[in-house]
Amino acid sequence: MDAENPGRGDVAGILAAARERSMKAAAMRDAERELQAAIAGVTPDVWAGEAAAAFVTAASSSATEVAGVAARWDAEASTLSAYGRGVQDIQDRQRLLELQRDEASTDLRAAERSRRTAAAEELAAVALGGVPDSELSERYERSAARHQQALDSIERSWQTLIADREAVNRACVSALTGEGVLGRMAPGTLDELRSGDALLAGLTATDLLVLARTNPDLLNKLKASDPAAVRDWWGGLGEDDQTALIVAMPGLIGNLEGVRYRDRDTVNRIWLNQQLGEARANLEERGTRAGGWDRERLLGLQGILEAATTSEGHASRFLISLTDDRPPLAAVSIGDLDDADNVTWAVPGMGSSAATLPDWARSAQTVQDKQTQLDDDRRHAVVAWVGDKAPAVAASSVFATDLASAGAVNLDRALNGFTAVRSDADLNVIAHSYGTTTAALASARPGVDVDTFVSLGSAGLPSELHSTTGPGNYHFSGTSLCVPGDPDDYR
C-alpha cells in the first residue's frame, strides 16, 4: 500500500493472471472429464480383474484431486478478477480526486494572490488619503476559504480512498489464503492441526506444495509424524507426485522418517549436488573474502559425496540423510536399509564431522563386509552416522553430556524411524569414544528397541545408564558389550 499512490498496481497484469488461472482450471476440468470417461470405460466385458480395480481406484483418486485443483484455480481466478476490478475502481477515483485537487489548489493560489493584491491596494489607498475598498479583499478571502474547504474535503476523500484500497487488499489476501484457494492448507484450517500425523492425514502432493509456498514453517510439523504413517502416505502417492515433492523440497523428503530409504538417497543426492554448486559458487564469488565457514562447508559436502560413493566390490551405498547445518550433517548406509535383515548404526566419537565421514564410512564398510562374510544367509547394512555435532579432539566439552544429549535426539529419531518401518529387522548400535555417550542416551530413550549395543573406547556413560552387573552392561533389551580402543582395531 502506497499512501501517496493508493491506486498503484498493474490492473492489466492482475486480470491477465486471473485469465491464466481460469484457463488452467478449464484444462483441469477437461482432464477430470477424461479420467471419468476412462473410468466409465472399465466394464467387465472390456477389462476385469485386480489390475482393472487398481486402475479405477487410482483414476478415481486422481479425478478427485484434479477436480479439487480446478476448483482452487477457479477460486483464485475469481479472487484476482475481483481484486483487479477493485484496484481499477481505486485508480479511477484517484484520478478524479487528483484532478479536483489540482483544480482546487490552482483556484486557492489564485484567490490568495488576488487577496494579497487587494490588501496591498487597500494600504496604498490609505497612504494616499483615499477610502479603501475592504469589500474586495474580504470577497477574495472568502473565496480562498471556500477553496481550502474544498481541498480539505478532497483530503478526506483521499484518506477514504486509502482505507478502501487497504480493504481491497485485505479481501484479496483473505480469499487467496482461505479454504477456497488453499483447501485444507488454509491457515485457519492448519491452526487446528496439532500434530504431524494430523497434518499428514489425507495430505496430497498438491497440498504439500501449497504449504511449502504459503507456510513453510509448518513443514516442521511433518518431521514429528509417525514414521509408519509417513510410510503409508508416501507409498500411496503416485510416482509423478513423489518426483514433484523430491524436486520441490529435498530438505524435507530426504530426512523424513518413513520415506523409503532408496527414495531418500535419490533426493539427498540431488540436494547434495545443489549444495555443492552453491558452496563452490559462493567461494568463487567471495574469493579472498570467504570465511572459514565457507571452506568448512565445502569440505564437509565434498566429504559427504566421497562417503556416499560406492566402493568397487562392496555393497551399494545410500545417502539416507543430509542437512544444511553449519557444518552439514549426513548419514550413509553401506547396504540397503529397505531390505536388510540385520542393520547396524555406527556412531563416531569426538572429532567426527562431515569432512571425516569418508573414514568412518570405510570403517562401517569393514563391519558390513565382515558381517556378510560370517553370516551370508542374511542381508546386512551398516549406517555411518554423522548426525550430530561432536566435540573436537581433546576439547573440554568431551567431559560433559550437552552435545551427546543433543545428538541423542537426532539418533533417537533415526532409530525409531527405522524400527517403525522395519520392525522385522535386527537393530544394532556400534559406538566409539564420545559417540558411546550419544548412542547410550539415544538407545535408552522410550520406544527405542536396540538388539545389541557395542561400546568401543567409551568416553564415559552417564551413571544412570549403568546397571548393577558391572561396567559396560546397560539397560537394553538385547546384548551390550563395552571394549576399549578404536573401531579400526576390530576389523
Side-chain angles (χ1 to χ4, degrees):
M1 239 301 299
D2 184 353
E4 298 297 321
N5 183 16
R8 182 178 180 180
D10 179 8
V11 173
I14 296 169
L15 296 178
R19 289 192 296 272
E20 178 189 10
R21 284 153 178 78
S22 291
M23 293 172 62
K24 288 182 177 180
M28 285 293 178
R29 285 193 294 272
D30 289 342
E32 182 197 3
R33 282 192 288 270
E34 291 178 5
L35 284 169
Q36 295 293 358
I39 293 169
V42 181
T43 58
D45 57 318
V46 175
W47 189 16
E50 292 183 4
F55 169 78
V56 170
T57 298
S60 298
S61 176
S62 296
T64 299
E65 183 170 358
V66 166
V69 173
R72 293 180 187 182
W73 282 125
D74 273 333
E76 193 165 337
S78 176
T79 297
L80 290 175
S81 293
Y83 183 57
R85 292 192 299 270
V87 173
Q88 183 65 67
D89 176 66
I90 298 295
Q91 290 181 351
D92 293 341
R93 290 163 56 193
Q94 178 177 331
R95 279 192 291 271
L96 178 60
L97 286 176
E98 286 173 340
L99 289 173
Q100 292 174 343
R101 183 170 58 188
D102 290 343
E103 182 178 352
S105 296
T106 298
D107 291 342
L108 176 61
R109 288 193 296 270
E112 288 180 340
R113 284 195 301 270
S114 298
R115 181 181 59 77
R116 288 193 295 270
T117 300
E121 290 176 351
E122 288 180 21
L123 291 175
V126 171
L128 295 174
V131 178
D133 184 2
S134 59
E135 176 63 26
L136 182 61
S137 177
E138 291 174 359
R139 186 166 64 249
Y140 285 131
E141 188 170 344
R142 289 192 297 271
S143 176
R146 285 196 304 273
H147 295 313
Q148 183 60 57
Q149 290 174 354
L151 280 175
D152 292 342
S153 176
I154 291 169
E155 178 59 27
R156 288 191 294 273
S157 297
W158 190 270
Q159 294 304 316
T160 300
L161 192 66
I162 292 173
D164 289 347
R165 176 57 190 269
E166 290 174 339
V168 167
N169 287 353
R170 284 195 302 272
C172 180
V173 171
S174 176
L176 291 178
T177 58
E179 290 189 45
V181 173
L182 299 183
R184 66 191 299 270
M185 293 297 101
T189 303
L190 287 172
D191 289 342
E192 300 174 0
L193 303 177
R194 302 302 181 189
S195 69
D197 293 342
L199 181 61
L200 191 64
L203 189 70
T204 67
T206 302
D207 289 334
L208 194 53
L209 292 170
V210 170
L211 184 63
R213 184 185 65 174
T214 60
N215 206 330
D217 290 341
L218 281 175
L219 290 178
N220 289 326
K221 279 191 173 184
L222 285 179
K223 295 179 181 178
S225 297
D226 174 20
V230 172
R231 175 199 57 199
D232 296 340
W233 165 75
W234 182 254
L237 295 176
E239 185 176 346
D240 289 344
D241 285 342
Q242 290 179 352
T243 300
L245 294 178
I246 284 172
V247 172
M249 49 193 67
L252 172 66
I253 303 302
N255 296 282
L256 189 57
E257 298 298 337
V259 173
R260 284 189 301 266
Y261 289 103
R262 295 187 192 95
D263 292 337
R264 288 169 63 172
D265 173 70
T266 298
V267 62
N268 284 327
R269 289 181 186 275
I270 293 172
W271 197 28
L272 176 60
N273 287 331
Q274 292 175 352
Q275 289 196 53
L276 276 167
E278 293 170 1
R280 288 167 179 150
N282 189 50
L283 269 177
E284 183 177 346
E285 179 183 352
R286 292 171 63 86
T288 57
R289 295 182 292 107
W293 149 242
D294 296 302
R295 296 182 178 84
E296 183 182 12
R297 181 191 184 201
L298 182 57
L299 286 174
L301 293 170
Q302 289 172 335
I304 294 170
L305 178 61
E306 180 182 346
T309 302
T310 300
S311 298
E312 186 176 353
H314 297 277
S316 298
R317 297 187 180 188
F318 300 85
L319 183 56
I320 63 168
S321 69
L322 173 68
T323 76
D324 58 356
D325 287 63
R326 300 188 175 189
L329 303 173
V332 172
S333 173
I334 293 84
D336 190 348
L337 294 180
D338 287 322
D339 62 11
D341 304 305
N342 185 60
V343 171
T344 303
W345 247 259
V347 183
M350 59 183 178
S352 60
S353 67
T356 65
L357 184 56
D359 293 334
W360 191 242
R362 281 189 287 271
S363 295
Q365 179 178 282
T366 299
V367 174
Q368 199 274 347
D369 289 343
K370 184 61 67 175
Q371 289 175 335
T372 301
Q373 178 186 344
L374 297 176
D375 183 16
D376 60 1
D377 290 335
R378 296 195 299 169
R379 295 181 294 270
H380 301 270
V382 179
V383 178
W385 186 83
V386 178
D388 64 345
K389 182 180 180 181
V393 175
S396 60
S397 55
V398 76
F399 298 109
T401 61
D402 294 349
L403 293 177
S405 296
V409 174
N410 295 340
L411 183 57
D412 166 61
R413 185 182 298 115
L415 296 176
N416 264 320
F418 178 79
T419 300
V421 298
R422 290 299 322 280
S423 59
D424 57 318
D426 289 339
L427 177 59
N428 319 290
V429 172
I430 296 177
H432 173 241
S433 179
Y434 191 81
T436 63
T437 310
T438 301
L441 288 170
S443 300
R445 289 168 67 93
V448 176
D449 185 13
V450 174
D451 293 294
T452 64
F453 179 90
V454 178
S455 170
L456 304 173
S458 177
L461 303 180
S463 58
E464 63 268 20
L465 296 178
H466 287 273
S467 73
T468 59
T469 57
N473 297 299
Y474 311 104
H475 296 288
F476 300 115
S477 61
T479 303
S480 61
L481 172 67
C482 183
V483 295
D486 188 275
D488 289 341
D489 296 336
Y490 298 91
R491 293 186 175 181

